[in-house]
Amino acid sequence: MKSSRQACHFTPEVCNITSVTSRPPTGSRIESSTLRFRRQFLVTPRVVELPGWQHVRVHGHNVYAHPELGLTVHRSGTGITLLLLGFAIDPDHPEHDDAAVLEQLAADRETSGEQPTIDRLSGRFVLFVFDGAEIQVQTDASGARAVEYTWTGDEFHAASQSFLLAEAVPLSESGRRAEFAVSRHTQLDREAFLPADVTLFDNVHRLIPNHRLDVTARRQVRIWPVEPLVARSLTEAAGLAARQLSAALEGASFRFPLSVPLTAGYDSRALLAAMPRSRRSRLFVYTLLYRHLGRLSADAHIASRVARRAGLQHHLVDCRRLPDDDWRQVYTGNSPLAHYDDWGIIAHGMLRGLPARHVALKGNASEIVRTFYWRDGAAPPTREAADVLALHSGWSELPFVVDAVGAWFHATTPIARACGVAIDDLFYWEHRCGSWQAQSLLEWDIAQEAFMPFGNRRLLALLLGVPARERADHGQALLLEIMRASDADVLQPPFNPSGGGYRAIDLVLKARHRARRGLRRLRAA
């Protein structure tokens, strides 16, 4: 392409998922070819057979994207090519599509630099910049679309996860997969995860949020934080946040039909409040029933009340039914870390029960500013890497995890201290959200696309500027203030009620769930 204003945008094809009002399919066999590596990507100099996938050549690399993954290319007259995998939303210009976002980034790159624009972007994306022999890669603020990468000689390869990398290059591992599988961490945590830069394969790395991969130098470069946080009052920050969330949600509503997985909690209701009223009527509002949750649980009951007050229909999506063996095979083949016995069962219900083409709005990433590891407004006594390892049981027993956390801690602590970001908040951002949540999104790509509006660097930096003592209730006051600034009417139903009948119902449902899970294990043995 000759013009710096030209862009090539590939509109994802969307397969038909049975809606909640239709009879669900009896199995996954008929969709297995579509479900394999769903919404994932591969970038490699090598030619790979991925039938039906989107394919373009960019600076000597083959870019393969699943038919349901957005792929946008901007080629400038100066020889620089921008490649966007996924979707990016500019809250300052919610009307812009991905092609317009890349056009703005290309223009910024030729003048003042594109990083400030990237920092204000929401969405779920990976951005590749090809500039001659140089390649740079970075993700959205929270790393919601994961990148794993490796080299074979001078060849660079990147993909959503290692199994897809293996389609292009042979991978080896020195026992980490087996060690992790039987570790105490995995036994204790059904949502077990690794630090953000760690994989289970030799010489395969992951890109950490707030970092840019310099492919030529073969290193990750921190891009945030780079300056001290700006102190904000709770009211001021919440008002600004409400406007940014509303703009991002408006931009998303221009692109996709949207779904809201509503619970009795704070973050999902904050997103509903921030949704512009003119766009609400198109929302599909639902609550997942999974693990022990049932129709009488607080999440389902309170969510129904909230939806009714907003004039919206509320749906229950049952994710407790056990899938067949075909589902296990395709689900576990999509990621080395697949949590089949929990997330895999939930994803099967989502695939059967959620409407086609919708993008789910998730309140995750809000925990980054909600003092997840804090108590009473005082930062935990995190003085060494061992304190970080202790945040997750069993991590200290895995040598490769110990090494990764130690390297991150020693490189990050002076930066966090200079910029006024608590090291525990930054750890949650880059490792728990950037790995645990990113892994959940990756696995659930088999059933839905998702968007986390709180995963925006400008927004998170704004909210982290609120004094910790005003966020010490796990951000409840902060989210309540955002709702008050957006739509105070949503504040009426209670939040996370646990007393009275809800507690009794919860105890009964948990006991039944444990009994059923124990019976399944006996049968499997």
Side-chain angles (χ1 to χ4, degrees), residues 392-408:
H392 294 281
S393 298
W395 265 17
S396 61
E397 300 166 16
L398 293 166
F400 60 95
V401 171
V402 172
D403 291 344
V405 171
W408 176 86

Side-chain angles (χ1 to χ4, degrees), residues 146-159:
V147 183
E148 297 189 5
Y149 60 92
T150 190
W151 285 268
T152 54
D154 292 331
E155 292 184 336
F156 171 70
H157 316 266

Side-chain angles (χ1 to χ4, degrees), residues 272-283:
L272 180 62
M275 174 64 68
R277 287 181 178 271
S278 61
R279 316 297 295 184
R280 282 189 195 173
S281 62
R282 302 180 182 182
L283 291 175

Side-chain angles (χ1 to χ4, degrees), residues 51-336:
W53 282 39
Q54 303 168 80
H55 174 216
V56 295
R57 288 277 295 175
V58 180
H59 287 238
H61 283 76
N62 293 291
V63 179
Y64 299 94
H66 185 274
E68 293 171 86
L69 178 66
L71 188 163
T72 311
V73 180
H74 181 102
R75 304 179 194 268
S76 72
T78 60
I80 297 172
T81 298
L82 306 182
L83 166 68
L84 187 79
L85 292 159
F87 60 93
I89 294 170
D90 185 350
D92 287 3
H93 300 281
E95 74 281 3
H96 283 182
D97 61 9
D98 292 322
V101 169
L102 287 191
E103 184 176 348
Q104 182 63 59
L105 291 177
D108 291 345
R109 187 176 179 84
E110 295 177 8
T111 55
S112 57
E114 73 275 23
Q115 193 59 49
T117 302
I118 296 173
D119 287 347
R120 75 170 187 244
L121 294 179
S122 298
R124 185 176 174 225
F125 62 85
V126 181
L127 175 67
F128 287 77
V129 178
F130 296 86
D131 185 355
E134 296 184 358
I135 305 174
Q136 295 182 343
V137 190
Q138 64 176 295
T139 68
D140 57 85
S142 57
R145 196 170 296 283
V147 183
E148 297 189 5
Y149 60 92
T150 190
W151 285 268
T152 54
D154 292 331
E155 292 184 336
F156 171 70
H157 316 266
S160 300
Q161 45 78 33
S162 297
F163 283 169
L164 188 47
L165 270 179
E167 295 288 308
V169 295
L171 302 182
S172 63
E173 51 96 7
S174 305
R176 277 183 287 181
R177 289 182 68 189
E179 187 178 359
F180 183 73
V182 300
S183 68
R184 193 167 68 93
H185 173 63
T186 303
Q187 301 306 312
L188 292 174
D189 190 347
R190 62 189 167 197
E191 298 183 343
F193 70 104
L194 293 166
D197 54 339
V198 174
T199 76
L200 297 176
F201 292 89
D202 298 339
N203 301 314
V204 176
H205 314 277
R206 286 181 89 248
L207 181 53
I208 307 174
N210 290 322
H211 289 68
R212 179 192 303 115
L213 173 62
D214 184 333
V215 174
T216 304
R218 299 196 180 193
R219 67 190 182 102
Q220 295 190 32
V221 180
R222 178 173 287 281
I223 56 176
W224 193 91
V226 293
E227 57 187 24
L229 294 173
V230 177
R232 307 273 188 178
S233 71
L234 185 146
T235 303
E236 177 192 15
L240 293 170
R243 290 193 287 276
Q244 288 193 42
L245 286 171
S246 181
L249 291 168
E250 183 180 24
S253 71
F254 290 152
R255 308 275 198 95
F256 330 102
L258 298 174
S259 297
V260 179
L262 198 59
T263 69
Y266 292 81
D267 50 14
S268 62
R269 205 181 305 186
L271 294 182
L272 180 62
M275 174 64 68
R277 287 181 178 271
S278 61
R279 316 297 295 184
R280 282 189 195 173
S281 62
R282 302 180 182 182
L283 291 175
F284 180 86
V285 179
Y286 67 95
T287 300
L288 298 179
L289 303 182
Y290 62 97
R291 296 174 186 160
H292 72 281
L293 296 178
R295 293 175 178 271
L296 299 178
S297 298
D299 270 344
H301 185 235
I302 297 299
S304 178
R305 291 176 57 184
V306 174
R308 186 165 60 250
R309 288 188 65 90
L312 298 169
Q313 186 176 359
H314 179 242
H315 303 266
L316 295 177
V317 179
D318 195 336
C319 299
R320 298 168 296 185
R321 179 175 173 179
L322 293 180
D324 57 22
D325 289 339
D326 290 338
W327 178 259
R328 176 188 289 271
Q329 183 175 358
V330 69
Y331 190 87
T332 57
N334 277 0
S335 167

Side-chain angles (χ1 to χ4, degrees), residues 475-495:
Q476 293 176 14
L478 183 58
L479 291 179
L480 288 172
E481 196 63 33
I482 289 174
M483 286 181 247
R484 193 170 288 112
S486 301
D487 179 6
D489 193 49
V490 303
L491 297 171
Q492 296 303 315
F495 292 86

